[in-house]
Structures are given as C-alpha cells and as structure tokens.
Amino acid sequence: MHSILDRIIMPESINKHGQNWKNVDYLVFNTYIWWMNTLKMKVLRGAFDEGATEYDEVDRPVAYGRVLKTWSEWVDLNVNPNRTMVFFNSMSPLHIKSSDWNNPDGIKCAKETSPILNTTTPPSVGTDRRLFTVATNLIQSMKFPVQFLNITTISEYRKDAHTSIYTIRQGKILTDEQKADPAIYADCIHWCLPGLPDTWNEFLYTRIVSRS
C-alpha cells in the first residue's frame, strides 16, 4: 500500500513486477525516498490478495534489508549476466534543513545558488546512511555482478540543484502566492533538468561503454 500516511509492504513480493524485467539489456534500480516518511515500516503478515490485514512495525533498515534481499535473490535467479547489465543507484539525498549547511536564516533549499563548498568533511544533510550500508553489503554478497552507482555524496553537496519553488503541486505549476511561501511549497527532493541527474547518467554511461 503506497499511501503516505499508511504504507504497508510485503517484503517477499516481487514476481508481479519482475515479469517485466526479464530479457532486457539494462536494469537500473534504486529505492530510498519512499522509505523516509516514518522511522518504522509496517510489514504485512501474509498477502493482501489473501485478505491479510495484520502487520508488524519494524525499524526502517530491517524492512529495507528484507526488501533488498528479495530483490537480490530474484536477480540472482532470473537475470542472465551475459544478456543484461544490472545497476543499483545509491540514495538521492534531500536538502530540507538549511542549518545543515550553516545557513540558519535560509528556508529549506529555496534561493540556494551554489553547492556546499566545504569539502573537508562529507556533508551531513540527514541521509539515512544505514540504508546505504544495507545496500552495499547485500550487493557485495550477490552472485550476480550488480554495478553499484554511488551518487549519494556528490549529490549531498548540491543544495542548489533542486526544483525548489519552480515545481508543481498536483500537476499544476505553483502560483505566485505559493512561490512566496517556500517553507511550505519548496521542493527540495526532486532535481532540476538539465542538472545533477545528468551527472548520474554520465556515471551510468561510463560503466556501459567500458563494458562494450
């Protein structure tokens, strides 16, 4: 169930969508933002199509690990490494608190025009690095040679690259009144195009070209 207020997962469920992933040239996976609304995740006991309604609440990294374990086992069993290249993109970060980059007077990522310039230490913008660790450890244990694309740290510097107030709500561009209220309406999750995702694609294309 994908409702923001009531998300429930079946961590062992994959075959329905997996049927669409077979016998292709490239598979690119990622999963992160969807998990960030709550500290604990609701895990269904059983299956929806069997009428199950009871669930357990488990810590986010535990649920994330169960889902990725299902995914990794599916890849190992169903994907031919001579036919398909598989990539896993790491976490795409958010920039919600301007205090994270020492701008206490800022409002989220609004009006940011340059990256975080202090490169002596990695940025700390609230990324759940526990999920990063779960993903890297699992991928290293797989039989299939999944290519892990680490986009996280380079993206954490880019507080200036989000759509901010130049975004849409419910399919409509923000009104001037909404743009004037960035605390509510600034989008500091999604990214401008052209922009940072083009750099992620350079990483992807480099891996593809190097193999060919």
Side-chain angles (χ1 to χ4, degrees), residues 9-15 43-44 46 66-67 69-70 73:
I9 61 173
M10 293 194 303
E12 282 74 45
S13 174
I14 195 171
N15 288 328
V43 177
L44 192 71
R66 286 180 62 180
V67 167
K69 185 173 187 296
T70 298
E73 291 174 348

Side-chain angles (χ1 to χ4, degrees), residues 155-167:
S155 303
E156 286 177 327
Y157 287 102
R158 294 303 307 276
K159 61 182 173 64
D160 59 314
H162 294 283
T163 55
S164 185
I165 59 173
Y166 305 101
T167 187

Side-chain angles (χ1 to χ4, degrees), residues 32-33 36 92-96 100-101 125-127 162 188-189 191:
Y32 177 66
I33 294 296
M36 297 304 291
S92 170
L94 298 72
H95 293 88
I96 302 297
D100 288 341
W101 51 90
V125 294
T127 306
H162 294 283
C188 302
I189 297 174
W191 306 92

Side-chain angles (χ1 to χ4, degrees), residues 192-206:
C192 292
L193 288 173
L196 177 64
D198 295 309
T199 301
W200 305 345
N201 285 337
E202 292 289 340
F203 295 163
L204 176 65
Y205 298 153
T206 300

Side-chain angles (χ1 to χ4, degrees), residues 101 109 111-117 156-161:
W101 51 90
C109 66
K111 298 183 179 179
E112 296 290 346
T113 58
S114 62
I116 296 173
L117 299 176
E156 286 177 327
Y157 287 102
R158 294 303 307 276
K159 61 182 173 64
D160 59 314

Side-chain angles (χ1 to χ4, degrees), residues 58-79:
V58 303
D59 289 337
R60 184 193 295 153
V62 174
Y64 189 83
R66 286 180 62 180
V67 167
L68 285 196
K69 185 173 187 296
T70 298
W71 165 80
S72 67
E73 291 174 348
W74 184 94
V75 170
D76 279 339
L77 286 172
N78 291 279
V79 183

